[in-house]
Amino acid sequence: MKKFLILTMAFSLFGCAEMQQVMNQFPQTDGTGLLNISGGLKEALNNGISKQVTKLTATDGFYKNEAVKILLPEELRKVDAGLRSIGLSSLADEGLRVLNRAAEEAVKEATPIFVDAVTNMSFADARGILMGNESAATSYLQNSTSTALYGKFNPVIKNSFTKVGADKVWTNIITKYNSIPLVNKVNPDLTDYVTNQALNGVFKMVAVEEKNIRTNLSSRTSVLLQRVFALQDKKM
């Protein structure tokens, strides 16, 4: 009777043909007779965080990575051009560099937030993510955690601005730019901007690892990853 109830539940979730594949071909289970799909997806996301996001915490992790480098917002491009026009190119360069330094510094402190967020993935979400596109797990993480992560990440960025000296550099930049005759004065919220850009960079790097695991067999570095993502392979 117990086995019958388990199989009934499994077939309702996956469909007869798919569930039979799982039961027959993937003997490693989560203790209920079902393949631990959510566990495999969590492992994939944790790999993305540990292998890829940590790269962002190194010096130039953002600044010299063209995929995630934080560029100036449109409002500040005229500031950059204005400074260079009056011979302050080195100050303009420093302004861009310290924005990226703040993001690099912040990710060091914020990584545990992302690790904790992965645990919120439910079994019900797992199958759709597994059978989704090459960044479905990353998109799930982004959609389900971005608001909460922003609230935690923003003060970290603000503190990082002070730690790396970005606040002083940009106070100097804005003061000098606003003193140029006839320019429209600016007062950008750089903390908000860098927070959003840093979050985008983190999710981009998680997506890199997810794609590796989905498309490259050698990136499936555990038995669980191999068995869970083999199911994904069969849909293709």
Side-chain angles (χ1 to χ4, degrees):
M1 184 63 183
K2 183 178 179 181
K3 290 182 178 179
F4 175 77
L5 290 174
I6 291 172
L7 287 173
T8 300
M9 178 183 70
F11 274 70
S12 68
L13 287 171
F14 290 93
C16 297
E18 275 187 317
M19 194 59 216
Q20 194 61 52
Q21 273 191 329
V22 173
M23 297 296 287
N24 290 342
Q25 299 183 34
F26 304 106
Q28 179 172 313
T29 67
D30 63 3
T32 65
L34 302 177
L35 182 66
N36 190 1
I37 293 175
S38 60
L41 289 168
K42 289 176 183 179
E43 184 176 338
L45 285 171
N46 280 323
N47 281 357
I49 294 165
S50 62
K51 293 181 180 180
Q52 300 294 340
V53 175
T54 53
K55 294 177 182 178
L56 300 177
T57 67
T59 299
D60 293 327
F62 273 88
Y63 191 54
K64 291 188 177 179
N65 182 340
E66 293 302 319
V68 296
K69 181 178 181 179
I70 298 174
L71 303 176
L72 293 178
E74 185 174 352
E75 178 187 8
L76 292 181
R77 290 172 194 166
K78 61 184 179 182
V79 175
D80 183 88
L83 291 177
R84 295 182 191 281
S85 71
I86 59 173
L88 293 176
S89 295
S90 60
L91 182 58
D93 291 338
E94 179 68 1
L96 184 60
R97 186 181 68 83
V98 293
L99 293 185
N100 285 271
R101 286 288 182 271
E104 292 158 10
E105 187 65 32
V107 173
K108 294 178 185 178
E109 301 180 42
T111 298
I113 298 170
F114 295 94
V115 175
D116 290 342
V118 172
T119 64
N120 292 327
M121 182 185 296
S122 69
F123 181 82
D125 296 314
R127 179 178 175 274
I129 294 169
L130 181 65
M131 296 304 181
N133 61 33
E134 64 186 20
S135 62
T138 304
S139 295
Y140 167 82
L141 184 63
Q142 186 170 11
N143 292 336
S144 61
T145 64
S146 286
T147 300
L149 287 172
Y150 180 94
K152 294 180 179 179
F153 210 30
N154 188 259
V156 177
I157 290 287
K158 186 174 182 178
N159 290 336
S160 296
F161 263 56
T162 300
K163 189 170 183 178
V164 304
D167 52 350
K168 292 180 180 178
V169 170
W170 274 95
T171 296
N172 188 24
I173 287 174
I174 297 302
T175 299
K176 287 187 181 299
Y177 176 77
N178 285 342
S179 68
I180 299 173
L182 303 180
V183 301
N184 292 323
K185 298 186 186 311
V186 296
N187 185 28
D189 184 350
L190 286 173
T191 302
D192 174 74
Y193 175 73
V194 174
T195 297
N196 283 311
Q197 294 301 305
L199 286 172
N200 289 342
V202 167
F203 289 123
K204 281 184 181 179
M205 297 306 289
V206 174
V208 167
E209 186 63 19
E210 180 183 358
K211 182 178 179 180
N212 284 342
I213 291 172
R214 285 185 182 273
T215 60
N216 185 352
L217 295 179
S218 65
S219 294
R220 300 172 187 176
T221 53
S222 73
V223 173
L224 181 58
L225 285 176
Q226 291 164 10
R227 292 179 173 180
V228 167
F229 283 92
L231 179 59
Q232 171 224 248
D233 296 341
K234 294 181 181 297
K235 75 168 186 174
M236 299 176 180

